[in-house]
Amino acid sequence: MAETDASKKRKPNWHKEECLLLAELVKERKTVIEGRFEPGVTSANRHEAWQKITDTLNANGHQQRSKEEVIKKWKNLKSAGKSAYSTFKNSTTATGGGPPPTPISPVTEAVVDCIGRDNTVLTGIGPMSMDSSFIQLLQLDQSFEKVRAIIGITINISISLHISLHISYFLSSFGKREVVTGN
């Protein structure tokens, strides 16, 4: 029983400097770590990037962390950063007076800079923004156009028409009565 108690001993908390360094290192490798899987971004590349980040953090001399601990800490920092930034942004745009908003921490600033201040995760979808399903439809349509241009294959008209109907429906939901065609 003494062995299991010793193996479950809690590690020290992360220092602010470690968190700032983690955010900086993730920002340097953002396209690999946060990007979608594609030919340049593979699972192996992602694991390698996390290992390099872990090695750099461990070389810094605070506390030895595993790759899994570093990944979990980044997810927690990202979640806390989104929440803190949202609270800060809402309190700065609120009306009715009251006490000034609590400034956000340097760690939150670093996380927000890494995520990107214009990211819809932080800004939300405004009245003139497109929702994610519309963006996915546009990306799908662009992918078909790339395939057509590169390979010279004509995509089935019914797929283009299906995409056109979705785009047309989306535009009509905003009061625009434009008809969009897939060709």
Side-chain angles (χ1 to χ4, degrees), residues 97-114:
T102 307
I104 55 178
S105 71
V107 173
T108 301
E109 279 284 346
V111 170
V112 167
D113 285 341
C114 183

Side-chain angles (χ1 to χ4, degrees), residues 4 6 28-29 32 55 86 105 112 142 154 158 178:
T4 58
E28 290 172 5
R29 296 168 176 83
V32 174
D55 293 343
S86 175
S105 71
V112 167
Q142 290 170 357
T154 305
S158 65
E178 300 174 26

Side-chain angles (χ1 to χ4, degrees), residues 30-52:
K30 181 180 176 181
T31 55
V32 174
I33 290 174
E34 300 286 333
R36 294 179 359 183
F37 284 111
E38 50 189 39
V41 180
T42 63
S43 181
N45 292 352
R46 195 166 281 175
H47 288 294
E48 183 182 328
W50 277 117
Q51 191 58 53
K52 286 180 182 177

Side-chain angles (χ1 to χ4, degrees), residues 131-174:
D131 74 347
S132 61
S133 61
F134 182 66
I135 293 170
Q136 289 172 349
L137 285 172
L138 287 176
Q139 288 173 343
L140 183 64
D141 192 44
Q142 290 170 357
S143 296
F144 286 145
E145 292 300 323
K146 287 179 186 174
V147 168
R148 250 187 236 161
I150 293 171
I151 302 175
I153 296 175
T154 305
I155 303 298
N156 190 337
I157 291 293
S158 65
I159 294 174
S160 295
L161 183 59
H162 182 72
I163 292 171
S164 298
L165 291 174
H166 280 292
I167 294 171
S168 179
Y169 174 77
F170 177 79
L171 291 175
S172 68
S173 68
F174 280 107

